[in-house]
Amino acid sequence: MSDNNKKTYISRRNYIRCHPNEVEIEKYFVSKGYEPVFMEDLNPLEQIKVIRESSDVVCFLGSSIVNLCYGNPETNVTFLTLDSTQDNFVETMTNYYSTVLKDNKMN
């Protein structure tokens, strides 16, 4: 886990396909100590660095989760979904990324 306990909220505020209440959701997580990050503004190495240095990550289900495979096994990840139809996929991805992180233990 990161030594600085950095909490990261991967914002989709600048995406066309964002949650209708994205601004309010982002404000909520900022109030809980999360730093909003806009992955589209970062190059791939910067994106990986953000994930590697985060102790907690919150993100909507989407392409931004691909970088989680570079995270630390101890990183807490919370997936947000738009509706319950994505719940099975979220569970599958959570199990997959947990396995990848534990198997790789990339340090």
Side-chain angles (χ1 to χ4, degrees):
M1 188 178 329
S2 173
D3 290 334
N4 62 2
N5 294 322
K6 180 179 175 186
K7 295 178 172 183
T8 301
Y9 173 70
I10 300 175
S11 179
R12 295 183 57 96
R13 181 173 18 125
N14 296 330
Y15 286 137
I16 294 171
R17 294 180 311 154
C18 69
H19 191 281
N21 293 40
E22 175 65 26
V23 172
E24 290 83 2
I25 293 168
E26 183 180 318
K27 284 180 183 177
Y28 170 79
F29 283 105
V30 167
S31 77
K32 298 297 180 188
Y34 286 78
E35 176 186 341
V37 173
F38 303 92
M39 292 298 211
E40 66 273 16
D41 294 339
L42 305 175
N43 68 46
L45 291 178
E46 291 169 327
Q47 293 176 16
I48 291 169
K49 186 175 188 251
V50 165
I51 298 301
R52 296 277 303 163
E53 293 178 349
S54 297
S55 60
D56 296 85
V57 175
V58 175
C59 60
F60 271 95
L61 187 61
S63 61
S64 61
I65 68 170
V66 72
N67 291 316
L68 295 175
C69 66
Y70 298 107
N72 295 306
E74 297 85 15
T75 299
N76 298 309
V77 178
T78 302
F79 291 116
L80 304 176
T81 61
L82 294 176
D83 60 49
S84 62
T85 61
Q86 297 176 335
D87 287 346
N88 288 338
F89 181 75
V90 170
E91 181 178 351
T92 301
M93 292 306 295
T94 301
N95 292 335
Y96 171 76
Y97 279 113
S98 294
T99 301
V100 167
L101 292 174
K102 287 176 185 164
D103 289 347
N104 290 333
K105 294 189 179 165
M106 299 174 61
N107 292 319

